[in-house]
């Protein structure tokens, strides 16, 4: 007898810490008949489940005389958060976002059934009359969607995926899905479409499948940072999915003829939208590079400014810095790059001061809120995120504002991806002088592309590389070793600000991290906000999840705590990080802070920039994570007094030279690496695979 049953989590009850009761509704009628029940409960000692999760549970053989269902194991098939439910309710019922959020949070069990069956909407959900009337008007749509959901949820689809499908085809959704699952690759992804195709018997060696796989292969490559694939590699990848060579070639020709893809003469294949983005980016840059209408600052006045700036700041520029200021003064577009200790920040400050002296308006921006706050601090001028400067959402949409200031300065350019850069360059006025600043040796953007390196390597944009390390930085082993890594020299130098502790096993590494953290806090007087433990990953035995758990367990023993639906404990004084933009409060993804208070229904946060924010608990769980430890990617653009990096065999394949360099250059006063030195030499010094992009060629 099959002992696997699909269920949905209706409610999670915390009996006590590490003791949870999970209320489940059985989804398949056959399973209902087999167990003679519609709803069941299970008990768990660990909690990684949330309301509306769809699970596949494996039943224990003996189910007799037990109050709760006995299970051997379970796996999460799909997750359905309150935030996603709110999106669905908002759109189907045509109600406000706030009403949809309140309704989704207020229901302990099935929100769809409760709305459909409710005769007193205002009372049941605490909404006003106008919102209740909208719900009544659109109840039929909700019933239609809910009927579809119940019919196809066993296909391992999430509520939001089903809703996106429903938006396209309404009552015809199920019929279209079963006739050709690959129609919905945008809504549910290739893997789920393929799984459904196998279930319904859709032919796999078909044009529909081949086109879907072709598009998906190029999109998956973009997730790895690459904007094209070589034709031969693409064909080999497609051959793995039960497609004949003849069908693959036919699909590629068809996709090219229908302008779904672009193929270069040397066999580089890219999605047509990606091709247009890079091609148009190159054309816009070409125009701006040759724009003769840009203000050129008189060279004599520039020399006067340099002398006065040095005198007023008791500071002497290097020859490279002076060349950078001169190049900025006479160029429509200019790039400034350099490593730590080379005076990049001071040069940027001088460029800002020179611009102000001649009455030019300024627009300063960075990819992240944390980086923009730091830029504002060092140059003394307001800086925003690029998204805010363009008035676009955090998730990519078109810009709503043209940047018209005389001087546009963009810092941390290594973090800018191809699609955001296109939106930026497209919406900077033709009359603006542009400055790009960044460290080309840091890791690339999370988004696909390699903008800064492509611009520099093209040779088309005037660029100054700052190489001279200033005397005050020469004594810093952090700076010395950063430049050693840049120059492929693995022979690191140790000193007061750069430590290495050799440990072999993950248990030994974790124990020494805890020991070091205690010493830094109790003996050296560092605050929690002064220390960042940086890892290349979240999920290994020495990844950020386990590191955060262990630091909190050992150093925050508060009796006042809350536990998230996924079983994570939060207490006052915990270090936290905003995990998505909150534009209303001006708190951006990556901003760090601490929990100030935990109240009955809300959590009060104090961020390191001085801002105080209250979140409802559900909102807090969805938008905030612990930040005793962070991934290196998440911490890019930030600086902190002390950085601790574990070097574990579990993470070795994730390391490369750029990643380690980025981690190292986050530290201002002290860098500690704990682990195996061979991992550093064999893995941390590896050159990363160069991202594939066409921008340099187009330029």
């Amino acid at each position: 007898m099959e002992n696997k049953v699909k269920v949905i989590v209706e409610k999670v009850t915390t009996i006590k810490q590490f003791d949870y009761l999970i209320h489940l509704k059985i989804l398949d009628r056959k399973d209902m008949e087999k167990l003679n029940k519609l709803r069941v409960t299970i008990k768990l000692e660990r909690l990684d489940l949330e309301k509306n999760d769809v699970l596949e549970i494996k039943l224990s053989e003996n189910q007799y005389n037990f109050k709760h269902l006995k299970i051997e194991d379970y796996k999460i098939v799909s997750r359905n958060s309150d935030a996603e439910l709110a999106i669905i309710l908002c759109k189907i019922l045509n109600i406000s976002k706030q009403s949809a959020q309140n309704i989704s949070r207020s229901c302990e069990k099935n929100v769809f059934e409760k709305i459909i069956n409710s005769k007193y909407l205002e009372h049941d959900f605490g909404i006003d009359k106008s919102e209740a009337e909208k719900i009544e008007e659109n109840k039929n749509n909700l019933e239609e969607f809910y009927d579809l959901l119940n019919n196809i949820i066993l296909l391992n689809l999430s509520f939001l995926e089903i809703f996106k499908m429903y938006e396209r085809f309404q009552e015809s959704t199920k019929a279209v899905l079963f006739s050709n699952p690959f129609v919905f690759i945008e809504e549910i992804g290739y893997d789920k479409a393929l799984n459904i195709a196998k279930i319904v018997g859709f032919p796999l060696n078909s044009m529909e499948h081949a086109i879907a796989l072709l598009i998906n292969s190029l999109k998956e490559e973009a997730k790895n940072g690459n904007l094209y694939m070589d034709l031969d590699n693409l064909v080999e990848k497609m051959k793995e999915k039960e497609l004949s060579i003849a069908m693959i070639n036919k699909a590629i020709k068809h996709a090219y003829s229908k302008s779904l893809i672009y193929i270069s003469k040397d066999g580089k294949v890219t999605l047509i939208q990606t091709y247009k983005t890079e091609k148009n980016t190159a054309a816009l840059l070409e125009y701006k590079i040759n724009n003769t209408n840009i203000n050129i600052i008189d060279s004599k006045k520039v020399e006067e400014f340099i002398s006065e700036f040095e005198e007023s700041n008791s500071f002497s520029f290097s020859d490279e810095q002076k060349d950078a200021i001169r190049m900025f003064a006479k160029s429509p577009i200019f790039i400034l790059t350099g490593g730590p200790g080379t005076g990049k920040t001071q040069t940027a400050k001088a460029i800002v001061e020179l611009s102000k002296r001649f009455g030019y308006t300024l627009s300063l921006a960075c990819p992240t809120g944390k980086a923009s706050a730091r830029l504002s601090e060092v140059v003394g001028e307001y800086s925003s995120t690029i998204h805010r400067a363009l008035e676009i959402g955090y998730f990519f949409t078109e810009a709503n504002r043209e940047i018209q200031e005389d001087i546009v300065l963009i810092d941390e350019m290594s973090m800018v991806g191809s699609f955001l850069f296109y939106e930026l360059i497209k919406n900077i006025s033709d009359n603006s002088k542009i400055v790009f600043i960044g460290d080309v040796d840091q890791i690339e953007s999370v988004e696909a592309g390699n903008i800064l390196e492509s611009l520099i390597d093209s040779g088309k944009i005037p660029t100054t590389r700052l190489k001279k390390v200033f005397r005050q930085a020469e004594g810093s082993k952090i700076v010395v070793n950063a430049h050693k890594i840049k120059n492929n020299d693995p022979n690191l130098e140790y000193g007061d600000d750069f430590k290495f502790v050799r440990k072999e096993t993950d248990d030994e590494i974790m124990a020494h991290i805890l020991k070091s953290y205690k010493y830094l806090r109790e003996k050296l007087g560092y605050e929690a906000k002064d220390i960042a433990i940086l890892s290349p990953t979240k999920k290994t035995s020495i990844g950020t999840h386990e590191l955060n758990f262990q630091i909190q367990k050992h150093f925050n023993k508060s009796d006042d705590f809350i536990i998230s639906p996924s079983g994570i404990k939060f207490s006052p004084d915990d270090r936290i990080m905003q995990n998505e933009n909150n534009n209303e409060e001006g708190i951006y993804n990556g901003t760090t802070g601490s929990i100030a208070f935990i109240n009955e229904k809300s959590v009060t946060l104090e961020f390191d920039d001085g801002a105080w924010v209250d979140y409802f608990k559900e909102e807090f769980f969805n938008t905030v994570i612990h930040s005793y430890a962070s991934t290196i990617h998440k911490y890019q653009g930030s600086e902190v007094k002390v950085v601790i990096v574990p070097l574990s065999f579990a993470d070795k394949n994730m390391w490369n030279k750029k990643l380690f360099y980025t981690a190292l250059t986050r530290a201002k006063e002290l860098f500690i690496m704990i682990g195996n030195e061979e991992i550093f030499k064999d893995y941390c010094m590896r050159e990363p695979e160069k991202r594939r992009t066409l921008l340099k060629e187009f330029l």
Side-chain angles (χ1 to χ4, degrees):
M1 179 179 72
E2 177 62 46
N3 67 341
K4 292 182 179 178
V5 177
K6 282 190 177 172
V7 296
I8 186 168
V9 177
E10 289 194 314
K11 183 179 178 182
V12 176
T13 303
T14 302
I15 302 171
K16 57 184 179 180
Q17 193 175 4
F18 308 123
D19 198 358
Y20 308 97
L21 187 63
I22 316 298
H23 302 257
L24 308 170
K25 179 183 176 182
I26 299 171
L27 293 174
D28 195 324
R29 187 170 298 278
K30 292 179 182 178
D31 293 330
M32 295 178 198
E33 293 171 355
K34 179 172 65 178
L35 294 170
N36 196 28
K37 291 180 179 179
L38 172 61
R39 289 180 167 85
V40 295
T41 56
I42 60 174
K43 286 185 73 175
L44 298 175
E45 292 181 358
R46 61 185 176 90
L47 183 63
D48 61 352
L49 301 178
E50 301 177 23
K51 186 179 69 174
N52 295 315
D53 284 349
V54 176
L55 316 177
E56 183 178 78
I57 59 175
K58 186 177 181 181
L59 302 176
S60 298
E61 291 297 325
N62 180 11
Q63 291 296 331
Y64 299 104
N65 301 319
F66 289 111
K67 182 178 179 181
H68 307 293
L69 201 66
K70 304 296 289 184
I71 66 170
E72 291 183 8
D73 198 8
Y74 64 87
K75 69 174 182 180
I76 300 170
V77 173
S78 67
R79 309 216 80 152
N80 304 287
S81 68
D82 284 341
E84 291 173 335
L85 283 174
I87 292 170
I88 295 169
L89 296 176
C90 181
K91 292 189 176 182
I92 287 185
L93 300 174
N94 194 30
I95 57 177
S96 71
K97 179 182 175 182
Q98 189 62 53
S99 293
Q101 289 174 338
N102 291 341
I103 290 171
S104 66
R105 289 173 187 155
S106 66
C107 288
E108 288 191 347
K109 293 191 176 181
N110 192 313
V111 65
F112 301 120
E113 287 184 0
K114 186 170 181 180
I115 294 172
I116 291 167
N117 295 327
S118 175
K119 296 181 180 179
Y120 307 101
L121 290 164
E122 292 174 62
H123 174 269
D124 290 346
F125 297 106
I127 56 176
D128 61 33
K129 185 177 179 181
S130 64
E131 293 288 77
E133 288 173 350
K134 291 177 185 176
I135 293 175
E136 287 292 354
E137 289 172 10
N138 293 286
K139 258 192 184 181
N140 289 340
N141 294 336
L142 184 63
E143 289 180 20
E144 187 174 81
F145 168 72
Y146 187 51
D147 182 61
L148 171 67
L149 188 149
N150 284 324
N151 271 279
I152 64 176
I153 197 168
L154 290 172
L155 296 173
N156 297 351
L157 299 170
S158 72
F159 292 179
L160 194 57
E161 287 170 337
I162 295 171
F163 173 68
K164 289 177 180 177
M165 296 162 64
Y166 175 77
E167 275 191 304
R168 282 184 66 188
F169 290 100
Q170 304 292 310
E171 71 275 3
S172 303
T173 301
K174 182 179 176 182
V176 175
L177 177 66
F178 280 35
S179 64
N180 178 12
F182 296 110
V183 167
F184 295 107
I185 186 173
E186 289 292 331
E187 290 78 14
I188 65 176
Y190 169 78
D191 290 336
K192 288 189 177 182
L194 178 62
N195 182 56
I196 295 170
K198 291 176 179 178
I199 292 171
V200 302
F202 189 85
L204 296 187
N205 192 37
S206 60
M207 177 65 77
E208 294 85 352
H209 177 207
I211 292 291
L213 179 57
L214 168 61
I215 301 301
N216 182 71
S217 298
L218 293 170
K219 287 186 174 181
E220 286 298 309
E221 200 66 24
K223 290 179 182 178
N224 294 324
N226 300 309
L227 292 173
Y228 71 82
M229 289 185 72
D230 291 317
L231 182 57
D232 291 344
N233 292 338
L234 176 61
V235 171
E236 286 300 313
K237 186 172 183 178
M238 292 180 68
K239 280 166 60 178
E240 299 171 3
K241 298 291 184 180
E242 302 181 44
L243 285 162
S244 66
I245 287 291
M247 183 58 72
I248 291 171
N249 289 330
K250 186 178 178 182
I252 291 172
K253 288 178 182 177
H254 177 78
Y256 182 76
S257 69
K258 295 295 182 182
S259 295
L260 298 176
I261 60 173
Y262 164 80
I263 307 176
S264 67
K265 291 179 180 179
D266 56 350
K268 294 170 181 171
V269 186
T270 185
L271 293 169
I272 196 67
Q273 189 56 49
T274 303
Y275 164 75
K276 289 180 178 178
T277 295
E278 296 215 282
K279 189 73 172 176
N280 291 340
T281 297
L284 286 166
L285 284 168
E286 194 77 34
Y287 173 79
K288 293 179 185 294
I289 290 166
N290 297 312
N291 188 358
T292 57
N293 295 324
I294 299 296
N295 291 319
I296 295 175
I297 303 174
D298 181 76
S299 60
K300 289 184 179 179
K301 293 180 179 179
V302 172
E303 297 305 319
E304 289 174 6
F305 167 80
I306 290 173
S307 298
E308 291 173 11
F309 187 92
E310 288 179 319
E311 184 176 347
S312 62
N313 289 275
S314 301
F315 170 87
S316 295
F317 287 117
S318 68
D319 291 341
E320 295 168 337
Q321 288 177 302
K322 291 178 182 178
D323 288 343
I325 297 168
R326 293 166 185 143
M327 189 68 74
F328 155 74
K330 65 182 181 182
S331 305
I333 303 183
F334 166 65
I335 297 172
L336 176 66
T337 186
T342 57
K344 202 163 66 260
T345 298
Q346 190 74 297
T347 308
K349 186 177 180 180
I351 287 171
V352 168
E353 289 297 320
L354 176 62
S355 302
K356 288 166 61 179
R357 172 169 294 195
F358 289 95
Y360 294 128
T361 56
L362 285 156
S363 177
L364 278 59
C366 297
T368 67
K370 196 77 181 282
S372 63
R374 181 169 166 267
L375 178 62
S376 296
E377 181 183 342
V378 296
V379 302
E381 289 291 318
Y382 172 75
S383 173
S384 73
T385 62
I386 296 172
H387 289 83
R388 173 160 282 195
L390 296 172
E391 295 183 4
I392 60 179
Y394 181 68
F395 297 104
F396 181 78
T397 55
E398 289 191 354
N400 294 307
R401 175 183 180 269
E402 182 183 58
I403 300 176
Q404 297 181 335
E405 284 76 8
D406 300 320
I407 310 295
V408 179
L409 187 151
I410 309 296
D411 196 9
E412 296 289 355
M413 273 296 298
S414 64
M415 299 173 68
V416 178
S418 291
F419 297 100
L420 178 59
F421 184 71
Y422 172 59
E423 207 61 29
L424 173 67
I425 204 71
K426 183 174 68 172
N427 289 285
I428 294 177
S429 168
D430 291 341
N431 298 318
S432 298
K433 184 189 286 284
I434 305 171
V435 183
F436 297 131
I437 301 177
D439 187 345
V440 75
D441 294 298
Q442 287 189 27
I443 49 177
E444 300 90 346
S445 57
V446 174
E447 189 186 81
N450 192 5
I451 291 295
L452 183 59
E453 190 169 321
S454 295
L455 297 181
I456 293 171
D457 288 351
S458 73
K460 291 293 185 73
I461 299 176
T463 300
T464 297
R465 285 181 181 265
L466 301 178
K467 298 178 182 178
K468 180 183 176 182
V469 177
F470 278 80
R471 185 173 300 168
Q472 61 266 34
E474 287 177 349
S476 166
K477 298 303 181 185
I478 293 173
V479 173
V480 168
N481 288 326
H483 287 275
K484 278 178 170 285
I485 291 166
K486 284 176 60 164
N487 296 319
N488 298 310
D489 182 356
N491 300 303
L492 302 182
E493 296 182 17
Y494 304 112
D496 291 340
D497 66 341
F498 192 101
K499 308 286 186 181
F500 169 67
V501 182
R502 187 179 185 90
K503 298 293 176 184
E504 297 297 329
T505 69
D506 285 359
D507 287 344
E508 290 174 343
I509 294 170
M510 181 65 78
H512 201 84
I513 288 174
L514 297 174
K515 181 180 178 181
S516 298
Y517 190 87
K518 182 177 182 179
Y519 185 81
L520 289 164
R521 294 292 310 277
E522 296 180 3
K523 300 296 184 183
L524 298 186
Y526 284 105
E527 297 180 45
K529 68 179 181 180
D530 298 328
I531 306 167
I533 306 167
L534 302 183
S535 170
T537 183
K538 298 176 183 178
K539 295 184 178 180
T540 65
S541 57
I542 209 75
T544 60
H545 288 173
E546 186 63 20
L547 286 162
N548 277 314
F549 174 77
Q550 292 293 339
I551 294 291
Q552 186 207 47
K553 176 182 174 182
H554 285 82
F555 298 100
N556 190 346
K557 299 182 184 293
S558 172
D559 293 331
D560 184 12
F561 61 84
I562 52 174
I563 298 176
S564 76
S566 56
I568 299 173
K569 177 183 172 184
F570 290 93
S571 297
D573 296 326
D574 268 348
R575 291 295 296 165
I576 52 86
M577 178 184 287
Q578 181 79 14
N579 202 32
E580 60 182 49
N581 282 354
N582 180 344
N583 290 322
E584 292 179 7
E585 299 287 350
I587 305 297
Y588 299 105
N589 189 354
T591 304
T592 53
S594 301
I595 296 176
F597 309 106
I598 295 177
N599 310 304
E600 184 178 351
K601 293 183 178 180
S602 65
V603 181
T604 302
L605 307 179
E606 181 183 6
F607 286 95
D608 294 340
D609 61 4
W612 289 71
V613 177
D614 287 323
Y615 282 124
F616 287 114
K617 286 182 181 177
E618 296 85 352
E619 192 177 15
F620 168 81
F621 292 142
N622 289 330
T623 59
V624 171
I625 58 175
H626 279 123
S627 70
Y628 296 107
S630 301
T631 62
I632 298 164
H633 280 89
K634 196 75 174 176
Y635 223 76
Q636 191 179 9
S638 301
E639 286 186 334
V640 67
K641 290 181 180 179
V642 182
V643 168
I644 301 173
V645 167
L647 296 179
S648 163
F649 282 104
D651 306 334
K652 64 182 183 181
N653 291 319
M654 298 179 184
W655 284 107
N656 60 53
K657 190 171 80 170
K658 282 194 171 186
L659 194 64
F660 188 85
Y661 174 86
T662 303
L664 172 58
T665 52
R666 300 311 90 207
K668 293 194 290 185
E669 295 182 7
L670 176 60
F671 181 84
I672 306 169
M673 59 180 188
I674 303 170
N676 192 298
E677 195 170 19
E678 282 67 42
I679 292 175
F680 169 76
K681 290 183 178 179
D682 294 343
Y683 294 91
C684 297
M685 290 300 294
R686 292 183 304 174
E687 289 290 343
E689 183 180 343
K690 202 172 182 70
R691 286 191 172 184
R692 296 191 294 277
T693 165
L694 295 169
L695 181 59
K696 177 184 171 183
E697 293 180 28
F698 290 154
L699 282 169

